[in-house]
Amino acid sequence: MTEVRTCLHDVQKHSVHTLVFRSLKRTHDMFVSDQAKAVSRDDVSHKLKMGVKLKTDYSAVLHMPILKEGKDRVSQLPAHLQGHAPYSQQDASRTAASVVDIHRHAGGGDRVHPQSTAVSLHEGGGTRTSALMRRAPTMPKPQWHPPWKLFRVISGHLGWVRSIAVEPGNQWFVTGSADRTIKIWDLASGTLKLSLTGHISTVRGVAVSTRSPYLFSCGEDKQVKCWDLEYNKVIRHYHGHLSAVYDLDLHPTIDVLVTCSRDATARVWDIRTKANVHTLTGHTNTVATVRCQAAEPQVITGSHDSTIRLWDLIAGKTRATLTNHKKSVRTVVLHPRQHGFASGSADNIKQWTFPDGKFIQNLSGHNAIINTLAVNSDGVLVSGADNGTIHMWDWRTGYNFQRIHAAVQPGSLDSESGIFACMFDNSEGRLITAEADKTIKVYKEDESATEESHPVNWKPEILKRKRF
Amino acid sequence: MSLTSFLPAPTQLSQDQLEAEEKLWAQKTYSTALVASRREPPPYGHRQGFIPRALEDFGDGGAFPEIHLAQFPLEMGRKKKTNNALAVQVDAEGKIKYDAIARQGQGKDKVIFSKYTDLLPKEVMNEDDPALQKPDEETVQELTEKTRSALDKLVSQKIAAAMPVRAADKQAPAQYIRYTPSQQGVAFNSGAKQRVIRMVEMQRDPMEPPRFKINKKIPRGPPSPPAPVMHSPSRKMTVKEQQEWKIPPCISNWKNAKGYTIPLDKRLAADGRGLQTVHINENFAKLAEALYIADRKAREAVEMRAQVEKKMAQKEKEKKEEKLRELAQMARDRRAGFKGHGDKGGEDSEARERDEIRHDRRKERQRDINISRAAPDKRSKLQRDQDRDISELIALGKPNPRASSEGQYDQRLFNQSKGMDSGFAGGEDEMYNVYDQPFRGGRDMASNIYRPSKNIDKDAYADDFENLMNNNRFAPDKEFSGADHSQRREGPVQFEEDPFGLDKFLEQAKQHGGSKRPSTSTRSKDDYHDKKRRKE
């Protein structure tokens, strides 16, 4: 039974509709497991009753033998007689194999009717009962996460900071900016270690390879560069894009680089030979984001034509197209542990599962153009928007537990707040964001917060989940 | 433990049960699909004369072989033009596959979401749900290997052209295949039952250039069919929202390519003038005030300086005058009053004064005589005054000739009988006709000099006024006997030259009373007096 909780201090005002529905639900949950269940049969009394009935009504025929085949023929009829009754449908009779057994006691004809209807009610209620018994207790409660707070602001770039990548050894991180430079910063102290120049326009994407000492960067000047970090020089150019390259990602197991561009294609490059292995066409507008993974589907792209495509890397063809978003998809993030991903767009954030891209749920509430998403192993999803706000969500339930809007660097206008990229470091204890006021902000979890100080205020919508 | 388990089975079905069976059989064919059959063809044996023409006549089945007629059930077999109608397909459960339209060009196992249920959110799953787990390591590695080999093959194809020419690569060793043909016999294969085939890869010339031209540009093929859209159509735009996004046309302050004439308020509309409040720095006002104050102070300073200077100059002048007076006094004293200076005393001071006055007058007379003697034209003083300009006369304080107070009219205004074109005189420049009569000249000056009229107050002059009036003592041209008539007398007093030099003589007498000095001293004194007068 669900216990009734009384709030002593917080009496929230709801509409009559909500109140009625809430009470409906509570009552339903309370009685649903028992409702329409027949009173449990007492074997002794039942045997007694049967015996008396047989003796009084059927004593004349009790001597005759009981034939099996006839019984089956007869038994089929009353089962199908249920077609009259509106309750039981054909699927119900088909799926529940035990229905036939239940109906066997009914003789036939009209006499059976009222009983059969009663039984069908019983049976329907039974199936419903069984189904709902599965569902009622599993209204999920979101996991508590400590809130995040800003603890460092790093300034040094002369233009918007557009992209971030963290080194696999968690010692430093790289940022690419609109001032055409790539800067390498020490993660622990936030000091600048190195500045790389070479791009002639905004650097839109950076990635550090886990398998070799390479740094990859792409920019709005159609260039994709491979930097050797031992010499801090460009060693390779990947030539082929026809327009600004917006994002890039490295395959975790194969030495392959995937870049996506404003020319509506994504290109797959062999790192060593600089050859353009595949050109993934199919999108009709700028491809804004690309992610690679080792399992199928290996490449996921999100585009400004509001579709997400899952690609087959071997054939270079689309496996599935997801058209659920209404506005441009600017970001896609893969969950580090689970086999699923989330995509962010201006209408809402959607969660999907692999390998077919089945839609799981919507995370709505962040009503802004979402530029970036990042996921933690603890299940914290961060969404950063074009207006500078950060929302923190619980991945599993979609509960928004925190909203942050950091102040801009002194000297910047208030309208210059926006987040272009965010990333957790490899220890998942720090969140690094690249912002439009030319700073890099580092956030960490607030250690002093507890469940009591920051309670979970989970108010899901009633009747949100349907049985599909 | 129901009742039926104890009772024997009924041997015959009742009427109700039979009806139920019928109904059941009828219901079996009832389905929820949109496509449903209506009419049934007659059963076998009763089809004499039945001609199936329409689609419904065939029911669920096909053609009837006993009816000797060309039949096209489901329009199959008819020669018709290709149309792109899709045949209705049914899935395993008997439901019609409506997403066949969306799946037209694709393989049957391609993932396409087309149902309403695909866009509804699913139940929140537990984290340990197997559907959410990543695939295990082996599958992933297998996939990786497969992908890598495929990609390597592609890469090698692409860079084959760039690779250097090497010796011909070794072909794989020959494969042998045992083949059993289906057509057996003595004639085939010369009686043998099987054949052995040696399969060898054809050698590829390493120096061979590419065989096919790949620089031809061909248009792109059609794209894959669009995926079904899994969201509700976008909301209709309300008028208010549309108004919010309205962008006014740009009216540039610099360019006007089509030469539109745009009213001034529209030209300035986008300037944002109404939005800003004009802030004038208060220093402007301060500057203006400071300048004003400075100007005033400067003026005051200048004035003060001028005044001070004037005072100083006046003081200087007075000092000089004092000095001169002293000198004159000294001179006078030296000249006239040395001898009788000490003993005359007070009663003689008046006499001395009178003497001084006489002396002064004589000096002036002498001066005039000198001037007239020096001047060749012998112009007398009155004559001189006659030639002076009226402003000079006023400045010198000479009598005002104008006595009449009545208005002086231009006489040309009266007696206007000359006609309209008179008066302008043809625009002659040389004529000076501003006034019609000269200003009162010197000729009338004599008459305008003050003469006591009978109207003057008798108090001032007692009762002898008439006597005074009739007195001719002050007639200007009363002459001495023996006076010279040749000279024209102007004015009451006519000063004349000293023909006998009596003045001179008297002066000298005066002077020599003090000391015997030669004419140099007198001359110097004359010069000095002249100089003094001239200064004044």
Side-chain angles (χ1 to χ4, degrees), chain A residues 46 65 71 73 80 104-105 253 276-278 298 323-326 335-337 339 356 359-360 465 468, chain B residues 1-2 4 7-8 13 24 111 113 119-122 124 132 134 147-148 154-155 158 228 230-232:
Chain A
H46 180 77
K71 265 225 170 66
R73 191 164 143 241
H80 296 300
R104 206 174 291 162
H105 76 283
T253 47
N276 179 6
V277 178
H278 282 304
Q298 298 195 54
T323 53
N324 291 45
H325 278 290
K326 279 194 197 171
H335 196 285
R337 297 272 181 74
H339 201 38
D356 290 331
F359 172 59
I360 304 285
R465 303 265 178 246
F468 283 105
Chain B
M1 295 302 290
S2 53
T4 40
L7 293 176
L13 292 175
L24 165 75
V111 171
F113 298 106
L119 66 90
L120 291 177
K122 313 264 182 322
V124 168
L132 289 179
K134 281 201 193 276
T147 323
R148 187 179 291 143
L154 274 170
V155 166
K158 286 200 197 276
M230 286 274 112
H231 56 76
S232 55

Side-chain angles (χ1 to χ4, degrees), chain B residues 235-250:
Chain B
R235 308 273 180 274
K236 258 206 315 198
M237 180 144 286
T238 58
V239 176
K240 193 166 86 71
E241 213 181 323
Q242 205 172 32
Q243 296 297 325
E244 273 172 22
W245 284 92
K246 229 178 199 221
I247 300 169
C250 174

Side-chain angles (χ1 to χ4, degrees), chain A residues 56-330:
Chain A
T56 51
D57 295 338
Y58 299 101
S59 51
V61 295
L62 272 176
H63 67 278
M64 291 166 74
I66 303 161
L67 294 167
K68 245 340 182 176
E69 320 79 51
K71 265 225 170 66
D72 292 343
R73 191 164 143 241
V74 168
S75 66
Q76 273 179 31
L77 275 177
H80 296 300
L81 263 176
Q82 307 312 316
H84 291 291
Y87 306 106
S88 71
Q89 289 130 26
Q90 281 191 325
D91 354 359
S93 56
R94 259 186 247 134
T95 51
S98 56
V99 166
V100 175
D101 299 330
I102 296 171
H103 288 310
R104 206 174 291 162
H105 76 283
D110 295 73
R111 203 157 52 104
V112 180
H113 247 300
Q115 287 180 24
S116 65
T117 51
V119 169
S120 68
L121 242 179
H122 185 94
E123 167 266 316
T127 49
R128 240 187 292 136
T129 310
S130 51
L132 278 170
M133 264 177 73
R134 273 204 318 273
R135 278 187 163 64
T138 62
M139 197 62 207
K141 193 167 182 296
Q143 183 194 354
W144 181 80
H145 301 282
W148 292 72
K149 65 173 174 32
L150 174 67
F151 94 105
R152 186 178 284 151
V153 175
I154 302 169
S155 56
H157 272 298
L158 302 171
W160 292 351
V161 190
R162 294 310 296 249
S163 55
I164 286 189
V166 181
E167 190 242 343
N170 222 25
Q171 295 297 314
W172 43 265
F173 66 96
V174 196
T175 54
S177 157
D179 64 359
R180 313 183 306 268
T181 60
I182 299 165
K183 289 192 197 272
I184 300 182
W185 309 83
D186 185 53
L187 192 75
S189 58
T191 52
L192 177 64
K193 290 175 77 166
L194 184 65
S195 218
L196 298 168
T197 54
H199 275 284
I200 49 182
S201 188
T202 306
V203 180
R204 288 298 286 254
V206 276
V208 185
S209 167
T210 49
R211 296 146 62 84
S212 33
Y214 292 152
L215 164 72
F216 293 88
S217 66
C218 67
E220 284 181 6
D221 46 8
K222 312 181 206 168
Q223 291 172 354
V224 182
K225 291 180 191 278
C226 173
W227 304 76
D228 187 332
L229 289 168
E230 285 162 9
Y231 297 103
N232 297 338
K233 279 191 183 326
V234 179
I235 49 169
R236 290 187 191 104
H237 279 102
Y238 299 92
H239 176 80
H241 271 298
L242 305 171
S243 191
V245 187
Y246 275 12
D247 199 5
L248 81 167
D249 199 13
L250 290 159
H251 197 285
T253 47
I254 309 175
D255 277 332
V256 139
L257 166 74
V258 184
T259 57
C260 68
S261 153
R262 213 177 70 195
D263 58 3
T265 61
R267 282 172 202 257
V268 181
W269 311 88
D270 181 61
I271 287 178
R272 190 183 55 85
T273 58
K274 304 175 276 197
N276 179 6
V277 178
H278 282 304
T279 305
L280 309 176
T281 53
H283 279 297
T284 53
N285 204 337
T286 304
V287 188
T289 177
V290 71
R291 289 286 174 270
C292 275
Q293 58 165 0
E296 276 290 345
Q298 298 195 54
V299 178
I300 302 113
T301 54
S303 160
H304 283 191
D305 61 3
S306 58
T307 60
I308 301 164
R309 277 178 191 250
L310 313 177
W311 301 86
D312 174 11
L313 186 55
I314 301 167
K317 293 206 186 317
T318 306
R319 260 179 69 106
T321 309
L322 311 174
T323 53
N324 291 45
H325 278 290
K326 279 194 197 171
K327 302 267 176 75
S328 314
V329 179
R330 286 200 182 195

Side-chain angles (χ1 to χ4, degrees), chain B residues 409-430:
Chain B
Y409 292 101
D410 196 341
Q411 295 309 313
R412 292 175 291 180
L413 288 172
F414 310 119
N415 299 329
Q416 292 279 3
S417 57
K418 285 185 234 161
M420 231 180 68
D421 53 349
S422 64
F424 189 47
E428 242 189 72
D429 292 332
E430 305 302 316

Side-chain angles (χ1 to χ4, degrees), chain B residues 330-331 333-336 338 507-509 511-525:
Chain B
M330 268 169 60
D333 288 343
R334 221 179 293 129
R335 218 182 336 125
F338 264 110
E507 269 178 45
Q508 277 179 6
Q511 282 170 13
H512 286 313
S515 61
K516 275 218 170 159
R517 254 191 229 137
S519 52
T520 52
S521 63
T522 55
R523 201 156 288 136
S524 70
K525 275 200 186 106

